[in-house]
Amino acid sequence: MSTRSNIGYVEDGKAKVVYCHSDGYLEWNGKLLFKHFNSLEKAKEIVVLGDLSFLEEKLYPSDGIEHSFDKRESGVTVACHRDRGEELEINEYEVSKTNPLEDLKKLNSFTIEYVYIFYQNQWWVKHISVNHFVLLKDELNKLKD
């Protein structure tokens, strides 16, 4: 079974969020986001792709390399729209400018285990089992212990 997640960012009272079907747990998506996508610009690059089958350290295939869901370039993200021909899906939410993470707690559901949001120049994460967001770097540090 896949570990599903949502990935997005907050800017100017709006959150833009996409779904990621596989590997949403801290040890994969969490580490990739923190290591390779640790800026607002990088978070936006993820979201503009729309929903994802899975996240990898690179968002785009190399020039001249065939990349699709069925024939993947190693280490490259698979996006549902670009690589599977599905509709482009990007969710947008109006959020409080003072505490947007409170508004985004509802993004966890029965099937979404992790929510990753880039806000205030850092990644935040919420697991379905808790009722608040925490800093991703703190959760990743716990994994080292």
Side-chain angles (χ1 to χ4, degrees), residues 53-112:
S53 288
F54 55 85
L55 182 67
E56 290 281 353
E57 64 185 58
K58 292 179 11 185
L59 294 179
Y60 304 102
S62 304
D63 289 340
I65 301 293
E66 182 180 348
H67 179 73
S68 68
F69 181 74
D70 295 321
K71 187 171 180 156
R72 305 170 195 157
E73 180 182 354
S74 179
V76 177
T77 297
V78 173
C80 296
H81 175 68
R82 179 190 69 197
D83 305 321
R84 297 184 70 159
E86 297 178 10
E87 288 289 320
L88 181 64
E89 295 284 338
I90 301 171
N91 296 298
E92 187 172 308
Y93 305 95
E94 296 284 332
V95 293
S96 159
K97 288 189 177 185
T98 56
N99 193 2
L101 296 179
E102 183 67 26
D103 295 337
L104 295 172
K105 290 192 312 188
K106 66 183 179 279
L107 292 177
N108 281 110
S109 68
F110 172 68
T111 59
I112 306 295

Side-chain angles (χ1 to χ4, degrees), residues 2-128:
S2 296
T3 303
R4 296 166 179 91
S5 62
N6 282 316
I7 301 170
Y9 65 90
V10 171
E11 184 178 52
D12 299 328
K14 293 187 191 298
K16 291 192 178 183
V17 179
V18 294
Y19 166 76
C20 184
H21 185 72
S22 295
D23 302 324
Y25 46 91
L26 291 169
E27 293 86 352
W28 188 260
N29 278 3
K31 285 183 177 181
L32 282 172
L33 290 168
F34 190 77
K35 183 174 181 183
H36 298 285
F37 304 101
N38 207 358
S39 71
L40 179 59
E41 292 74 24
K42 293 289 187 182
K44 287 180 177 183
E45 283 186 56
I46 293 169
V47 170
V48 77
L49 290 174
D51 289 347
L52 308 174
S53 288
F54 55 85
L55 182 67
E56 290 281 353
E57 64 185 58
K58 292 179 11 185
L59 294 179
Y60 304 102
S62 304
D63 289 340
I65 301 293
E66 182 180 348
H67 179 73
S68 68
F69 181 74
D70 295 321
K71 187 171 180 156
R72 305 170 195 157
E73 180 182 354
S74 179
V76 177
T77 297
V78 173
C80 296
H81 175 68
R82 179 190 69 197
D83 305 321
R84 297 184 70 159
E86 297 178 10
E87 288 289 320
L88 181 64
E89 295 284 338
I90 301 171
N91 296 298
E92 187 172 308
Y93 305 95
E94 296 284 332
V95 293
S96 159
K97 288 189 177 185
T98 56
N99 193 2
L101 296 179
E102 183 67 26
D103 295 337
L104 295 172
K105 290 192 312 188
K106 66 183 179 279
L107 292 177
N108 281 110
S109 68
F110 172 68
T111 59
I112 306 295
E113 288 190 54
Y114 289 92
V115 178
Y116 298 96
I117 300 293
F118 196 84
Y119 171 63
Q120 293 183 328
N121 215 26
Q122 53 197 339
W123 282 106
W124 296 79
V125 62
K126 181 186 173 305
H127 185 267
I128 193 171

